[in-house]
Amino acid sequence: MLFLNQFSFTTANKNVSKIFVGIDTGGTFTDLVAADLHSGRYYYHKVPTTTGDPARGILDGIAELLDQNSLPRKDVAFLVLGTTLATNAVLEGKWAATGVITTAGFRDVLELARQRRPHYFNLDIPKPMPPAARDCRLEVSERVAQDGTVVTPLVEDDVRRAVEVLKAKKVEAVAICFMHAYANADHEERARALVQSLWPEIYLCTSSEVLGEFREFERFSTAAVNASLMPIMDRTMSQFERGVADLGIRHMPRVMQSNGGAVSPGAVRKMPVNTFFSGPAGGVIGTVGLGRQLKAPDLIAFDMGGTSTDVCLIRDGEPAKKSERQMGGFPVRTRSLDIHTIGAGGGSIAWIDAGGLLKVGPQSAGAYPGPAAYGRGGAAATVTDANVVLGRLSPKSLLGGRMAMHPDKARAAIDGLAKSLGVDAIKAAAGVIEIINVNMMGAVRVISVEQGEDPRDFALVAFGGAGPLHAADVALNMCMKRVLVPPRPGLLSAIGLLHADVRGDFSLTRLLRAESKNLKAFNAGFADLKKRGAEWLRAEGKNDGESKAKFEWSVDLRYFGQNFELIMPLARERLAAQSLLHLTSTFHKRHKAFYGYDMPSQPVEIVNLRLVVAAARKAPAAAQAIKKSELKQLLTERRRVWFAQTGFVQTPVYERDQLPPGWRATGPAIIEQMDATTVVPPRAGIHNDALGYLHLSLDGVKAVKK
């Protein structure tokens, strides 16, 4: 499953052999990329994901990638993993048995929540199950006020009794969640010490260390979810670390976080909630780098794999970010890239609902048994099978000929679906494609139109194994006119991982009016954050402290009486009277820009203080296509391909690895490569630039109206 061709990059230092490895583990395939700074080449590998034992499959893939290309394992200087382990555990409800020790009277915070229904007019939506069952949420006597003063001292015997009960319940992890611990964490820290002394082997976290911010439901929820994932992540990370060391790789591996930064496995063990969008974050980082290379700052990342589709909006070269996400029905407050994910991929299963309507996803055939076309025992009709039946996907093989396809099995699966619908197979397959495209169009709307952005101002960057197959149709439905396909779309997420910096996000609440009399409290908070950031850097192996790290400061502001905030950047970590005045003045302007009004006479509050610590890391330059003295025949075949605009039409099929720089054509066309297939609709323009990027122009193509 190895790529036959490689790509080169330039580096200033040719004397030191350094190998960088990126691994993106998806629901269907695991993608691996190695960049050798000495030889100036990229090497690619793609293997099916071993869902039963993710770490084992990753380690086997690393060994194959290095050994098949004669890359010395001892020369691996940087290895980073993108994983969806935490996400899958929450979505599938496979978290560890968890206990919560909380303030007397607040055991039901996780279930009371915010009293907001996901859908206002649907009364039948089941409530999500908390990560800690009610009989495992135990109360202790203690109370701290919102200003940090102690109202009721901690009764330590209550903590001891809670430990005995939770031991009897056989929980694996415990979260300590006390009221107003963001203002004074002494009680949580004392309870932690007691629990650790009585139960050394328990996985344990406190709400103040996981999220030092106010709003008890979000803080309790984030801490409880974090605790429930600690055993799962610890087991996988331990196996991963040992396996990497056993391979002869001397440097500590890194893991991508949701915020786009790579950290040590130790940091992931403590804060697994920071990895929910670990894999997709690599694709966003790769898209940002693509934009810099092409001088295209406004992009929408469109990553369609075998199980899901991830989209993210990038404006002026900066990806959108979010501070809260819903995971398994519970809010998790952690800084992350604003990636929207839906269950739409090549393996998404087509099915018929009770009313006889065709649906696609979110259920997926996964890697095993996979789509029927893979010949691994899958029988349900999937998006991949529909693409094979319609001629859009090669009926012969994938992965450069290393994975045989079974068009007869794909046709049988679609025939079964068509019979249930009472239509012919072509109409059924076309319906599957149309529905999955509409589903993905909805995802693009969420991160663009629903955020006040016009998608027509952006180019759609198609990657993932199935992204280029569907990108043109999705772009047309959104009235977008440009699609970009990187040289290795199926591996862009893994490539992006190679460019991740070390990054940590820290926050704490200082709920005070933005007035000079509170400057001392604000600046004390900044000093606390700076200390935490420096300690974190040292723990991450950055022993030079803050000398080479970038500290970025910001604050959350709101009008007094509001319940939502805007994040405002700061130039430095200390506030003075003049800078505070400038901050509030800028807040009024930004509030008006965001919401259409401002209230200059209303007092302004500073709610949270924030710090981002980013330590830049040397990364390989972008891959460049190797110039070939002799080109093979570009046109590999002609086959009947179905398009929404024309139906079936004889279509040229090109081998992408042989396209010369400057090559141009007009659709219809199919462009195949080892890791992806690009579909070019009729009348669309396509050209291959000097860097190996495909540019699709859809100006002459009209979307099909249904």
Side-chain angles (χ1 to χ4, degrees), residues 573-591:
E573 75 268 22
R574 286 192 63 83
L575 282 172
Q578 189 62 33
S579 57
L580 189 63
L581 184 63
H582 176 73
L583 178 66
T584 55
S585 175
T586 306
F587 168 74
H588 293 308
K589 295 176 182 177
R590 177 169 289 191
H591 194 281

Side-chain angles (χ1 to χ4, degrees), residues 220-557:
F220 286 19
S221 173
T222 304
V225 171
N226 189 76
S228 72
L229 294 172
M230 291 173 76
I232 298 167
M233 195 62 76
D234 179 57
R235 287 190 284 267
T236 301
M237 287 297 105
S238 295
Q239 185 182 357
F240 176 58
E241 279 188 287
R242 285 195 304 269
V244 168
D246 291 343
L247 288 175
I249 296 171
R250 297 176 292 187
H251 290 268
M252 177 181 65
R254 298 274 175 175
V255 181
M256 179 65 100
Q257 297 185 112
S258 305
N259 62 10
V263 295
S264 66
V268 170
R269 287 187 179 93
K270 294 178 182 177
M271 294 286 286
V273 288
N274 287 340
T275 65
F276 279 131
F277 296 93
S278 169
V284 175
I285 298 300
T287 304
V288 170
L290 175 156
R292 291 197 190 106
Q293 192 175 24
L294 298 181
K295 295 181 173 55
D298 299 328
L299 304 168
I300 292 177
F302 176 73
D303 178 4
M304 182 183 179
T307 304
S308 62
T309 295
D310 307 297
V311 293
C312 181
L313 185 136
I314 299 165
R315 164 71 79 178
D316 296 328
E318 286 293 325
K321 297 181 178 65
K322 233 178 182 181
S323 294
E324 181 177 313
R325 308 299 295 260
Q326 290 286 325
M327 297 303 300
F330 287 91
V332 173
R333 287 186 68 86
T334 178
R335 197 69 171 151
S336 69
L337 300 175
D338 189 5
I339 299 170
H340 183 66
T341 301
I342 64 170
S348 293
I349 295 172
W351 53 284
I352 301 171
D353 69 8
L357 297 178
L358 177 63
K359 305 285 185 180
V360 183
Q363 303 92 342
S364 174
Y368 295 96
Y374 289 179
R376 296 181 183 145
T382 67
V383 174
T384 292
D385 298 316
N387 276 308
V388 171
V389 168
L390 296 177
R392 294 156 59 95
L393 198 59
S394 172
K396 300 175 183 177
S397 63
L398 297 179
L399 301 180
R402 289 161 176 78
M403 182 176 178
M405 294 291 280
H406 302 267
D408 54 330
K409 295 181 179 180
R411 181 61 184 244
I414 296 296
D415 280 339
L417 179 69
K419 184 177 180 180
S420 299
L421 290 169
V423 298
D424 62 60
I426 301 305
K427 184 170 287 188
V432 170
I433 299 300
E434 181 183 353
I435 290 171
I436 202 72
N437 287 340
V438 170
N439 291 347
M440 293 184 293
M441 181 185 74
V444 175
R445 284 183 59 86
V446 168
I447 54 99
S448 59
V449 176
E450 294 183 16
Q451 303 298 323
E453 298 282 2
D454 189 339
R456 294 173 295 184
D457 297 336
F458 296 78
L460 191 68
V461 179
F463 58 101
L469 260 175
H470 294 263
D473 292 334
V474 172
L476 284 170
N477 287 334
M478 297 299 297
C479 299
M480 301 171 70
K481 299 302 182 183
R482 296 175 297 152
V483 174
L484 296 173
V485 184
R488 289 296 167 194
L491 294 123
L492 183 67
S493 292
I495 295 170
L497 293 171
L498 300 179
H499 298 265
D501 294 331
V502 176
R503 177 186 168 113
D505 287 74
F506 307 89
S507 65
L508 58 82
T509 291
R510 284 292 184 271
L511 189 53
L512 298 167
R513 292 194 182 190
E515 298 173 353
S516 297
K517 66 180 181 180
N518 294 320
L519 284 172
K520 184 178 179 180
F522 295 142
N523 289 327
F526 287 130
D528 183 26
L529 286 177
K530 189 172 186 179
K531 179 182 177 182
R532 288 166 54 188
E535 291 174 348
W536 178 82
L537 276 175
R538 286 191 289 272
E540 285 298 296
K542 299 295 178 180
N543 295 321
D544 51 355
E546 59 195 75
S547 59
K548 295 183 180 179
K550 186 178 181 181
F551 282 52
E552 300 175 357
W553 304 91
S554 60
V555 292
D556 295 357
L557 288 93

Side-chain angles (χ1 to χ4, degrees), residues 105 107-116 127 137 217:
R107 71 185 298 195
D108 292 322
V109 164
L110 289 178
E111 298 195 68
L112 292 173
R114 288 289 174 192
Q115 298 295 299
R116 290 194 295 262
K127 291 187 69 173
R137 302 195 299 267
F217 171 52

